[in-house]
Amino acid sequence: MKSTLTLLAAGSLRRAFIPLQAKFTQQTGIAVDMVFGPAGLLRERIENGAACSVFASANRQHPQALSDAGRAHGLQPFARNQLILTVKNTPETAAKDWLALLSDNSLRLGTSTPLCDPSGDYTWQLFDSLDVDYPGLGASLKQRAIPLVGGRHSLSVPPGEIASRWLIQQDLTDLFIGYAHYASALDGDRSIRNITIPQPWNIRCEYYLAMLDESDAARQFCQFILADEGQRCLRGAGFLAVSDED
């Protein structure tokens, strides 16, 4: 009888893990039930007793908390990401660079939700980074930021939609800070524009795996993610491998 795993994974991993899981199951015969969501809220579900064989988080903090509590083991990084700006493409925004856009108080700024979703935590780190070289900007951005997704009572983004584009097209925000791996999927949409946040201000977003059971199936799945085929799926979805240079 073949095993079935339960994977709880950060929502940003959906585009990488759906094909990754299909290849893993095809090769091993091991089925994987996948649940996606904000990693902080997934951690709470695990703490409250939700079934989970493998936890794939968009940061180290949440699996580390489970490990510290004796609930998880085998923490290891498996992918990296960065942040980008996505802005409504208008004559007013077309000529502005990343800093001018962030400094424009007339633009509504959407983010994910800190504490619940690592994307929000990374965004707040970005604000702190900016404040060092542009005093007052980070504090102003924290005041302006509207956490629209990734929270306990956030808007529900329709299946298949990317939050940044959907929120802008629904006229819920003018500018959104999100993960850079979505850029390739957003390319070609002339209603929006993606702008790179340059170094040294951009944030290194690190993704971590943790096992919550001792099964061979869970171990095989983690090994598959870290091996060449799993890493190709992640790169194909726009992620950086742990070994990649920024």
Side-chain angles (χ1 to χ4, degrees):
M1 181 175 178
K2 296 295 183 182
S3 301
T4 298
L5 296 173
T6 300
L7 168 73
L8 269 60
S12 54
L13 291 164
R14 183 186 299 271
R15 290 169 179 264
F17 270 30
I18 288 176
L20 187 154
Q21 174 271 327
K23 292 179 180 181
F24 174 76
T25 299
Q26 182 181 36
Q27 292 183 21
T28 65
I30 299 170
V32 183
D33 292 334
M34 298 189 293
V35 178
F36 294 99
L41 299 185
L42 294 178
R43 186 194 94 188
E44 291 180 3
R45 289 178 62 170
I46 294 168
E47 291 170 336
N48 290 329
C52 179
S53 308
V54 176
F55 180 33
S57 174
N59 67 3
R60 179 168 184 155
Q61 175 186 343
H62 298 307
Q64 185 69 59
L66 294 171
S67 178
D68 292 345
R71 301 284 299 273
H73 64 282
L75 267 68
Q76 48 194 327
F78 69 96
R80 291 196 294 108
N81 213 335
Q82 292 186 309
L83 298 176
I84 57 167
L85 308 181
T86 303
V87 65
K88 183 185 296 184
N89 198 7
T90 68
E92 290 74 27
T93 64
K96 294 184 177 180
D97 66 10
W98 68 278
L99 187 57
L101 289 168
L102 286 176
S103 302
D104 187 343
N105 291 329
S106 71
L107 296 177
R108 295 169 296 170
L109 174 62
T111 71
S112 195
T113 305
L115 302 180
C116 295
D117 186 355
S119 177
D121 298 324
Y122 290 130
T123 299
W124 257 244
Q125 290 178 35
L126 171 67
F127 296 159
D128 289 336
S129 175
L130 290 171
D131 220 46
V132 174
D133 292 315
Y134 304 99
L137 177 59
S140 172
L141 289 167
K142 289 179 182 180
Q143 290 293 320
R144 284 174 50 207
I146 309 167
L148 294 172
V149 293
R152 292 179 180 82
H153 307 293
S154 292
L155 295 165
S156 180
V157 178
E161 292 282 359
I162 296 173
S164 56
R165 175 171 57 195
W166 184 79
L167 291 166
I168 290 170
Q169 291 178 342
Q170 297 300 308
D171 197 31
L172 296 168
T173 190
D174 304 303
L175 177 67
F176 189 85
I177 302 175
Y179 286 127
H181 79 284
Y182 287 121
S184 59
L186 294 169
D187 283 349
D189 188 332
R190 296 185 178 182
S191 69
I192 57 174
R193 184 165 64 101
N194 295 308
I195 301 98
T196 299
I197 301 168
Q199 300 297 339
W201 300 281
N202 209 328
I203 301 300
R204 182 185 177 107
C205 310
E206 296 194 332
Y207 286 61
Y208 273 77
L209 285 173
M211 291 190 295
L212 283 92
D213 68 40
E214 299 283 353
S215 69
D216 287 339
R219 194 169 296 108
Q220 285 184 61
F221 187 50
C222 289
Q223 290 172 348
F224 186 87
I225 293 168
L226 292 164
D228 289 346
E229 197 156 13
Q231 291 294 297
R232 279 196 295 272
C233 289
L234 285 156
R235 282 196 180 97
F239 288 89
L240 299 168
V242 176
S243 59
D244 288 343
E245 295 295 328
D246 289 322

